[in-house]
Amino acid sequence: MPTPERTSLAEIVLAGQELLEDGGPSGLTMQSVAERVGVRAPSLYKRVRDREALVSAVAAATLDDLTARLEASDGSLEGLARAYRAFAHDRPEGFRLVFTSAPPREALDRSSAAILRSVRPFVDEEHALEAARLVTAWATGFLQMELAGAFRLGGDLDDAFAFGLATLRRGLERH
Amino acid sequence: MPTPERTSLAEIVLAGQELLEDGGPSGLTMQSVAERVGVRAPSLYKRVRDREALVSAVAAATLDDLTARLEASDGSLEGLARAYRAFAHDRPEGFRLVFTSAPPREALDRSSAAILRSVRPFVDEEHALEAARLVTAWATGFLQMELAGAFRLGGDLDDAFAFGLATLRRGLERH
DNA sequence: ACCTGAACACCGTTCAAGT
DNA sequence: ACCTGAACACCGTTCAAGT
């Protein structure tokens, strides 16, 4: 006699994203997720292999959210960078998680495409991938350090971000 | 009647660094550290407040190790970048930890000084801090993504690293 | 002064039993 | 087919008792 489904993978992953943002990685427990979706912890194992798989699914979903924001930007390098930084400020825990896990290939591809498009005006096709990697690495590193509070020598961070972006653009243009 | 000390904070932190590198963050448990230094887990609480404090101490010690390597490089921007990348490849788990925790102020200052020195030839004093932040953010982001396996669109990573460095230098020189 | 065993709370995970 | 309570292993942490 089948029991009706009381939750779903999508609901579980969403609960995971919320709990992560509220309480950091250690707040994302199987028990807290189960409670939030209205089920007991052992039931989660019907939908996810283990906690690690759940965390990976949360990371992948968060990367998809980030990609949607990038795609909704105006497509310019500056617009993309602004959208990227706004997302990191909105969802610091999710942002951190995305870049400490190895997201699935296709989630990565979609976000890469948006970044590649934004650097095309500055470099020839042959160097587009390297240029995209440069911009992504800089923005990601900057935001991770900003979120971790690693910039402690004073100075305005908005200015530092703008300086970095302008310098990158200059270096790419002169290629 | 005093009991002789059977371990020390330094020994505990070193054991933590080794266990982290061997088994990742989840391999760094109070029990495994205690076993390695030849003591029972409760004894660790004589030297560290709790696990979180131990992890912070491990991060600080690892940042000191990284700084020593930077200071041992030839001081050029390229030499510094090479030393930075070599450290990340040697000690991936430690490298990751350093940039996901908030290291103590003075540990940060020493590594900042080495980076500031390496960018001085390219920018005027007014922009030295922003230039150092640009270089650090790029290198850190690149290495974190490389370690996380986030570069999956092919292409040579050595080339991408060299391209990034050359582009940064070009952008800074034209400032 | 430092070290330990015992104990507690909490977490991830498995599984037999329920519907 | 899905859900649950019970159970187990493991971890962080406290504390009274030992030397």
Side-chain angles (χ1 to χ4, degrees), chain B residues 33-45:
Chain B
V33 170
E35 187 178 9
R36 183 167 285 230
V37 303
V39 101
R40 300 289 181 164
S43 299
L44 297 178
Y45 292 83

Side-chain angles (χ1 to χ4, degrees), chain A residues 102-103 105 108-109 130 133-134 137-138 141-142 144 148 150-154 159 163 167-168 170-172 174-175, chain B residues 102-103 105 108-109 130 133-134 137-138 141-142 144 148 150-154 159 163 167-168 170-172 174-175:
Chain A
R105 180 65 205 258
L108 224 63
D109 285 355
E130 287 170 342
R133 281 175 172 165
L134 167 58
W138 163 72
F142 188 98
Q144 288 209 339
F151 289 138
R152 304 214 213 129
L153 265 43
D159 288 351
F163 174 91
T167 305
L168 285 180
R170 215 179 302 122
L172 290 174
R174 272 208 44 196
H175 197 263
Chain B
R105 181 64 206 256
L108 224 64
D109 286 356
E130 288 170 343
R133 282 174 172 166
L134 167 57
W138 164 70
F142 187 98
Q144 288 211 340
F151 290 139
R152 303 211 213 133
L153 264 42
D159 288 350
F163 174 90
T167 304
L168 285 180
R170 215 179 302 124
L172 289 174
R174 271 207 44 192
H175 197 261

